[in-house]
């Protein structure tokens, strides 16, 4: 869908501004892995699912396992998917969220504790730009920068200052400018638009990365880290991707999932020295996967354990405390996104194919068969639709972030770069990867954007010169 947005160049002026550190690619998620199930957004914006379905998390109206993908009932216009342990979340283009699966503790947010085999709307939410599913809880980031949560709360993972489970969403206390959320087994992470991270819930293994093992019912700041562009939460460990492509990790490490060459738990976030140029990291249950800017994928952590093996995709069943490359069974082409859960991993190729490795007893690898023979090298999820490919996928965090004021945009906003633009191309895309507006021959330092008929939501602006991205920013439009 295209809308007209008036863009006008201004003379340089002084503005109070916010630096935004988020790469475009991280908000157009097309695949997701739950506890033992998988999800994918198809090219027509519908969703297909496969794998374990004991609580209705596949959303097809049954509780029958599926080794071949099935359509999620009644959903169109889906822009993001997320999998919890036994539930699924779906963000639509209108900013609403829908959910299905296990619900005794309330992670579906529909005000009940009833399991749902078809998606129901999460009540009381609009303008949602990012979601995450944890063990038994769910997290939501709104376009106004607030964070919301529902579900299990025994460890304070909802961040509302209590230990009360919530079947309806509550606001996470004290947070503003939140642009991404990540949910672990019993803890939560929140990425702020200034590149800092906050955490709440269980911190027994030091997964907050703040140098302690002290849990908290309200978000606490993860000290010592800045310029973070992406976060991910495993069962009991955390991954932080930095603007420069480096990765820091913290938390439980008994199988080497922190990638630091040891099996020692870390309460202070520490760098993974073996990795560089990382554009996305995903914490599974007890393993981790990392996508590099060259399209290769690396993994570490649990890779053995009888029926629970092969998820690292390196052709072995050997646990790895240092990242190893996932064998490129997909042949030519790049991996642009990866997902991890306790027993399997998913890899999205740049042509829309989905590949998978690990356990397949419930059909979660999606190639049309149930088998107890795990795949230690990736296999094509051949029964799955070609997933939505992003219109623009950039290989690494952008070199310069434009300044935005005021933010969110309600009627108009000023964008300003560090250096003047000359004959550049300005492109605005939505979180679905669709181009909303493109303008050629952009010049100057300062740009005035008028909202016109742009609907509320999350958008991304990039400036390209000579086919090279020179500046970018995240743009939230709110009523």
């Amino acid at each position: 869908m295209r809308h007209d947005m008036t863009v006008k160049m201004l003379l340089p002026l002084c503005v109070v501004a916010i630096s935004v550190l988020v790469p475009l690619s991280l908000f157009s998620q097309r695949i997701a892995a739950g506890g033992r199930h998988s999800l994918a957004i198809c090219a027509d914006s519908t969703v297909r699912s496969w794998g374990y379905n004991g609580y209705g998390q596949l959303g097809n109206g049954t509780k029958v396992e599926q080794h071949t993908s099935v359509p999620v009932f009644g959903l169109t216009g889906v822009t993001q998917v997320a999998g919890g342990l036994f539930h699924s979340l779906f963000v639509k283009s209108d900013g609403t969220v829908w959910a299905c699966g296990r619900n005794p503790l309330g992670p579906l947010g529909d005000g009940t504790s009833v399991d749902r085999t078809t998606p129901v709307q999460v009540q009381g939410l609009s303008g949602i730009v990012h979601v995450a599913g944890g063990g038994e809880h769910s997290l939501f980031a709104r376009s106004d920068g607030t964070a919301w949560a529902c579900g299990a709360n025994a460890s304070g993972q909802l961040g509302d200052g209590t230990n009360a489970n919530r079947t309806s969403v509550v606001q996470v206390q004290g947070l503003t400018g939140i642009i991404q959320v990540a949910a672990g087994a019993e803890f939560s992470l929140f990425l702020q638009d200034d590149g800092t991270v906050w955490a709440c819930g269980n911190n027994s293994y030091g997964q907050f990365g703040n140098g302690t093992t002290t849990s908290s019912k309200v978000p606490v700041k993860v000290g010592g880290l800045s310029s973070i562009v992406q976060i991910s939460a495993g069962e009991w460990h955390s991954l932080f991707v930095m603007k420069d492509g480096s990765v820091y990790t913290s938390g439980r490490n008994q199988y080497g999932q922190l990638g630091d060459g040891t099996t020692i738990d870390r309460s202070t976030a520490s760098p993974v020295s073996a990795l560089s140029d990382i554009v996305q990291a995903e914490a599974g249950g007890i393993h981790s996967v990392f996508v590099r800017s060259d399209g290769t994928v690396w993994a570490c952590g649990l890779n053995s354990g009888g029926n629970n093996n092969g998820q690292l995709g390196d052709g072995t069943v050997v646990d790895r405390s240092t990242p190893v490359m996932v064998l490129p069974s997909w042949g030519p082409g790049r991996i642009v996104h990866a997902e991890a859960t306790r027993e399997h991993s998913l890899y999205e190729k740049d042509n829309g194919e989905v590949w998978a490795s690990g356990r397949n007893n419930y059909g979660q690898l999606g190639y049309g068969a149930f088998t107890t023979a795990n795949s230690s090298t990736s296999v094509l999820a051949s029964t799955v639709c070609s997933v939505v490919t992003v219109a623009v996928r950039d290989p690494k965090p952008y070199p310069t972030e434009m300044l935005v004021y005021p933010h969110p945009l309600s009627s108009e906003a000023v964008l300003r770069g560090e250096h003047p633009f000359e004959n550049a191309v300005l492109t605005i895309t939505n979180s679905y990867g669709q181009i909303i507006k493109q303008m050629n021959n952009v010049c100057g330092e300062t740009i005035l954007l008028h909202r016109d008929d742009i609907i509320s939501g999350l958008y991304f602006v990039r400036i390209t010169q000579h086919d090279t991205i020179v500046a970018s920013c995240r743009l939230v439009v709110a009523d």
Side-chain angles (χ1 to χ4, degrees), residues 51-117:
Y52 182 60
N53 196 28
Y55 300 97
Q57 56 265 51
L58 298 190
N60 70 333
T62 77
K63 292 185 178 181
V64 179
E65 281 70 46
Q66 303 289 335
H67 57 56
T68 298
S69 72
V70 295
V72 175
F73 180 79
L75 288 185
T76 59
V78 177
T79 61
Q80 190 213 339
V81 288
L85 180 61
F86 296 124
H87 69 288
S88 302
L89 301 169
F90 313 91
V91 182
K92 295 185 64 173
S93 57
D94 62 3
T96 61
V97 183
W98 299 70
C100 59
R102 180 177 166 87
N103 198 36
L105 300 180
L108 305 192
D110 67 342
T112 79
S113 56
V114 178
D115 295 348
R116 303 290 186 175
T117 61

Side-chain angles (χ1 to χ4, degrees), residues 256-297:
Q257 56 264 48
L258 300 190
D260 63 356
T262 78
T263 54
I264 301 171
D265 297 346
R266 305 284 185 185
S267 62
T268 299
S270 303
V272 181
S273 59
L275 294 177
S276 61
D277 296 322
I278 299 301
V279 296
Q280 185 236 340
E282 175 70 13
I286 36 187
H287 76 290
S288 304
V289 296
F290 310 90
V291 181
R292 287 192 62 186
S293 62
D294 61 4
T296 60
V297 187

Side-chain angles (χ1 to χ4, degrees), residues 32-48:
R36 293 171 178 169
H37 69 289
S38 305
L39 304 161
I41 302 175
C42 299
D44 62 357
S45 80
T46 62
V47 181
R48 298 186 75 89

Side-chain angles (χ1 to χ4, degrees), residues 4-326:
D4 290 331
M5 176 179 277
T6 303
V7 179
K8 179 170 138 185
M9 305 309 302
L10 300 178
L11 294 175
L13 52 84
C14 181
V15 296
V16 178
I18 303 170
S19 180
V20 179
L21 302 173
V22 182
L24 165 66
S25 60
L26 299 176
F27 289 90
S28 298
Q29 184 177 329
R30 279 87 52 209
I31 58 174
R36 293 171 178 169
H37 69 289
S38 305
L39 304 161
I41 302 175
C42 299
D44 62 357
S45 80
T46 62
V47 181
R48 298 186 75 89
S49 57
W50 60 102
Y52 182 60
N53 196 28
Y55 300 97
Q57 56 265 51
L58 298 190
N60 70 333
T62 77
K63 292 185 178 181
V64 179
E65 281 70 46
Q66 303 289 335
H67 57 56
T68 298
S69 72
V70 295
V72 175
F73 180 79
L75 288 185
T76 59
V78 177
T79 61
Q80 190 213 339
V81 288
L85 180 61
F86 296 124
H87 69 288
S88 302
L89 301 169
F90 313 91
V91 182
K92 295 185 64 173
S93 57
D94 62 3
T96 61
V97 183
W98 299 70
C100 59
R102 180 177 166 87
N103 198 36
L105 300 180
L108 305 192
D110 67 342
T112 79
S113 56
V114 178
D115 295 348
R116 303 290 186 175
T117 61
T118 58
V120 293
Q121 187 171 352
V122 178
Q123 297 299 306
L125 287 181
S126 61
I128 298 303
V129 296
H130 195 256
V131 298
E136 295 279 359
H137 71 293
S138 302
L139 303 175
F140 313 90
R142 285 191 61 184
S143 59
D144 62 2
T146 58
W148 298 75
C150 61
N153 198 28
S155 296
Q157 57 263 49
L158 302 190
D160 67 342
T162 78
N163 292 114
N165 300 332
R166 305 288 187 176
T167 60
S168 298
V169 295
V170 292
Q171 186 170 351
V172 180
Q173 287 188 13
L175 294 180
T176 60
I178 299 303
I179 55 177
Q180 192 189 51
V181 290
E186 295 181 12
F187 74 103
S188 304
L189 301 175
F190 307 90
L191 176 62
Q192 212 165 27
D193 59 8
D194 62 357
T196 60
V197 175
W198 297 72
C200 63
N202 188 303
N203 191 33
S204 299
Y205 298 98
Q207 56 265 42
F208 289 6
N210 65 348
T212 78
T213 55
T214 303
S215 301
S216 178
K217 293 183 288 188
V218 295
V220 295
K221 190 173 184 178
V222 177
L225 293 181
S226 60
S227 299
I228 300 168
V229 296
Q230 189 239 330
I231 53 177
S232 185
E235 279 189 9
W236 306 110
H237 72 292
S238 303
L239 308 179
F240 310 93
V241 181
M242 316 300 287
K243 177 185 174 184
D244 63 3
S246 62
V247 179
Y248 283 66
T249 61
S250 61
R252 196 172 189 184
N253 195 31
Q254 79 275 33
Y255 294 100
Q257 56 264 48
L258 300 190
D260 63 356
T262 78
T263 54
I264 301 171
D265 297 346
R266 305 284 185 185
S267 62
T268 299
S270 303
V272 181
S273 59
L275 294 177
S276 61
D277 296 322
I278 299 301
V279 296
Q280 185 236 340
E282 175 70 13
I286 36 187
H287 76 290
S288 304
V289 296
F290 310 90
V291 181
R292 287 192 62 186
S293 62
D294 61 4
T296 60
V297 187
W298 299 72
C300 60
L302 181 69
N303 197 33
S304 63
N307 288 330
N308 184 16
N309 60 28
Q311 54 266 59
L312 301 191
D314 68 338
T316 78
V317 290
V318 178
D319 299 340
R320 306 287 188 174
S321 62
T322 301
V324 294
M325 190 172 78
V326 177

